[in-house]
Amino acid sequence: MNKKTLTLSLAFGICYLWSGGIFMTVFFRLYEHYDQIQVTYISDVLYYIMQATGIFFFSLFVKSKTLEYRKHILNISLIAITILFGIMAILSNDPTRILVSGAIMNISIGALLCSYLLRMSKNLESKERGKCFAFAYALGSIGTYLLSLPFDGKALISNHIIWVYIILAIIASFFLYLFDKLSKEDIKTENENTPNTIISTNVKKNSILLMVLLPFLFMVINSLGYHFEQAIADNINILFTRAFYSIGLIAAGIIIDKKRNLGAICAFLSLSFPLICLSFRGNDITIVSSILSYIFLGFINVYSVILFIDIGDHYPDKAHMSTYGFGISRIGTALGTSVGLLLEKNQTILICITLTLYAICGLIFFAYQSFYYNKTESIVTETAGERKERIFKEYSSRYGLNGKQTEVLRLLLDGYPNGEIADKLYLAESTVKYHVKNILKITGYKNRNELISNYMSQSNNSK
């Protein structure tokens, strides 16, 4: 893990620690006014949907303003909103106010986490992202448990804990500032022997739907088999068992950075555990099964997030979707929890639905693996010249240019004026001008400078 990755991991991890902590404090406050089923609906359904809402709105906001996610004033505003409505929920004695304040707080949390995920997608190499996300989430999971230990395990329900969250938010902001500074200073140079991943744009377009369905079905199935707050017995400390989440997270992060395909298979195999839990529903839930559920969830969560984090590498116009995996997972958890609670007393129907979804998920998963990884995610070694030629061919074929137009475009993009292009291609200069005019008309650009600028931009974003 290099310096940049470690810095972002600390920034993201401490952010997740204080935002996850304030989420748990509000969660415990809900128990003072609502029963267990109601709290589960609020925390794992309503609040998760609110987080997904924050993620999607923030990602769409930065779609046309690619640098907005790096503005610290935006992060500070989101932190202020999160803490403000968190304080309102913690200090209020009105159940409705707690519920509504918590909902607004979670929209802000979703947007805040989105800004970190965007930084991870745009500034870290693919081989570092799994570890970065896993370490950050693990830090938050373990840290929340450690924060709860003082005052005989009642620290999180103390009103004074908000000061700890404010201090942690300041520390996280410092590491985020440091990371952004490192990113600006990081001058990327192209190595002629650097391996590049070649993925067809057309294939990626066809696989978007599969990408959306996978994290959604993963989390629906997981929640159907094991919706945590409802299933965990009263004598099990949820914060203690949640700390073991870090084992699965870190293991998954290391594996998925080594080989994306292997990490995906581990995540799919982890879905077997919720099915096992479902078959034993009705018996007492042990601390061992609770711990294992979080370990396996770590593999599922890392895969669901990294699946989308990588999308901007080879599909620049979809870069804003890099956070969708996290948001889709939240929606899947919300739906799975809702159905699981509704069918709690109809085990046969619940098992049939879960097994059906598992079978559908398996078909989609292996179709995606075969279609995407096995056929298109091939790692090859390209020289700088080979990479340049590949990018040019992809760019020119996009507009359906004929042979002569392609020859003119190649020299035009290299910066040659019409006269020199005419000499190199043994054409009259008037013929070159004619071809240039047609090329601009086909591509939709006003002049050659605009065309060259667009090509260079897409070339730099292509890997």
Side-chain angles (χ1 to χ4, degrees):
M1 188 179 290
N2 59 38
K3 187 176 181 180
K4 278 180 62 179
T5 304
L6 180 60
T7 304
L8 184 58
S9 296
L10 289 171
F12 192 8
I14 297 172
C15 176
Y16 179 66
L17 169 58
W18 74 260
S19 61
I22 203 169
F23 179 95
M24 293 306 299
T25 301
V26 173
F27 171 79
F28 290 128
R29 289 286 287 121
L30 289 168
Y31 265 109
E32 298 176 11
H33 303 278
Y34 299 96
D35 61 35
Q36 187 181 47
I37 300 294
Q38 290 173 324
V39 171
T40 304
Y41 271 119
I42 294 170
S43 62
D44 284 11
V45 180
L46 175 63
Y47 284 178
Y48 274 14
I49 291 175
M50 293 299 100
Q51 285 190 18
T53 300
I55 290 169
F56 293 137
F57 271 106
F58 190 90
S59 63
L60 291 174
F61 170 73
V62 301
K63 181 180 180 181
S64 59
K65 302 178 180 181
T66 54
L67 295 179
E68 287 292 335
Y69 74 95
R70 292 180 61 178
K71 288 191 175 181
H72 292 283
I73 187 65
L74 184 59
N75 279 76
I76 292 172
S77 299
L78 291 172
I79 290 170
I81 293 171
T82 302
I83 292 178
L84 174 62
F85 283 95
I87 291 174
M88 290 174 62
I90 293 169
L91 299 182
S92 177
N93 290 317
D94 178 23
T96 303
R97 184 174 296 176
I98 295 173
L99 189 152
V100 173
S101 297
I104 298 173
M105 177 192 79
N106 276 280
I107 293 175
S108 182
I109 287 176
L112 187 61
L113 296 181
C114 184
S115 73
Y116 284 88
L117 291 172
L118 284 168
R119 283 175 168 84
M120 189 184 304
S121 172
K122 292 177 179 293
N123 294 282
L124 295 185
E125 297 179 7
S126 59
K127 64 181 180 180
E128 297 288 326
R129 294 169 187 161
K131 293 190 289 287
C132 180
F133 176 77
F135 179 81
Y137 238 55
L139 177 61
S141 299
I142 296 174
T144 306
Y145 170 64
L146 295 177
L147 282 180
S148 72
L149 294 180
F151 306 109
D152 296 324
K154 297 180 179 180
L156 290 186
I157 60 176
S158 168
N159 292 342
H160 299 296
I161 192 66
I162 196 68
W163 293 107
V164 177
Y165 298 146
I166 292 173
I167 293 172
L168 289 174
I170 294 172
I171 295 173
S173 299
F174 167 75
F175 280 110
L176 188 65
Y177 169 78
L178 185 60
F179 172 78
D180 285 343
K181 186 176 180 181
L182 288 172
S183 297
K184 290 178 181 178
E185 295 173 352
D186 183 31
I187 301 175
K188 296 180 180 180
T189 57
E190 186 175 88
N191 191 318
E192 291 191 357
N193 297 315
T194 299
N196 289 280
T197 304
I198 298 180
I199 299 181
S200 168
T201 299
N202 292 328
V203 171
K204 294 179 78 63
K205 287 180 179 178
N206 293 331
S207 64
I208 291 294
L209 179 59
L210 299 181
M211 290 180 68
V212 170
L213 288 174
L214 281 175
F216 176 74
L217 289 174
F218 270 40
M219 298 310 295
V220 169
I221 294 168
N222 181 77
S223 299
L224 283 173
Y226 204 97
H227 41 281
F228 297 104
E229 281 69 40
Q230 172 63 10
I232 293 179
D234 293 336
N235 62 338
I236 294 178
N237 186 331
I238 184 175
L239 292 173
F240 172 73
T241 57
R242 187 169 174 268
F244 287 88
Y245 195 9
S246 59
I247 297 175
L249 288 166
I250 293 174
I254 293 172
I255 292 172
I256 207 166
D257 277 350
K258 285 287 184 180
K259 193 173 183 181
R260 292 289 196 262
N261 201 8
L262 180 59
I265 293 172
C266 289
F268 182 75
L269 293 177
S270 296
L271 282 180
S272 301
F273 187 75
L275 296 178
I276 295 172
C277 286
L278 186 62
S279 66
F280 287 102
R281 183 67 61 82
N283 299 325
D284 290 336
I285 302 299
T286 66
I287 191 171
V288 174
S289 63
S290 179
I291 288 172
L292 289 174
S293 70
Y294 274 108
I295 292 175
F296 286 115
L297 178 60
F299 283 89
I300 296 170
N301 202 14
V302 171
Y303 170 68
S304 297
V305 172
I306 297 301
L307 179 69
F308 273 84
I309 285 287
D310 291 340
I311 195 171
D313 285 352
H314 312 286
Y315 208 175
D317 62 324
K318 299 291 184 183
H320 66 285
M321 292 178 62
S322 58
T323 63
Y324 279 20
F326 197 91
I328 293 167
S329 296
R330 288 299 197 228
I331 294 175
T333 299
L335 179 61
T337 301
S338 298
V339 176
L341 291 175
L342 289 172
L343 298 177
E344 186 70 25
K345 297 181 180 179
N346 298 281
Q347 290 296 294
T348 302
I349 297 177
L350 182 59
I351 290 173
C352 288
I353 290 175
T354 307
L355 288 175
T356 300
L357 289 176
Y358 186 76
I360 294 172
C361 183
L363 291 174
I364 293 174
F365 176 78
F366 288 108
Y368 184 80
Q369 291 295 99
S370 175
F371 182 64
Y372 183 75
Y373 283 103
N374 297 340
K375 292 183 180 179
T376 62
E377 195 182 62
S378 57
I379 306 299
V380 298
T381 301
E382 291 179 315
T383 64
E386 290 170 340
R387 175 178 178 272
K388 180 180 178 181
E389 181 64 19
R390 171 177 60 82
I391 293 172
F392 172 76
K393 286 181 178 179
E394 290 175 354
Y395 189 84
S396 58
S397 64
R398 185 183 310 167
Y399 298 103
L401 302 179
N402 61 37
K404 190 59 67 176
Q405 289 171 340
T406 301
E407 292 178 6
V408 172
L409 176 65
R410 183 190 298 277
L411 295 172
L412 185 156
L413 293 174
D414 285 337
Y416 290 103
N418 291 342
E420 292 188 35
I421 294 176
D423 291 340
K424 288 181 177 292
L425 298 179
Y426 303 103
L427 297 172
E429 188 170 346
S430 59
T431 303
V432 172
K433 289 181 180 180
Y434 172 78
H435 285 309
V436 170
K437 182 180 178 180
N438 284 336
I439 289 171
L440 293 174
K441 183 178 180 180
I442 293 171
T443 56
Y445 295 102
K446 296 178 181 179
N447 53 60
R448 63 201 298 151
N449 290 333
E450 188 176 302
L451 173 62
I452 293 172
S453 177
N454 173 265
Y455 175 78
M456 293 302 296
S457 176
Q458 294 197 33
S459 176
N460 290 334
N461 284 324
S462 178
K463 294 187 178 183

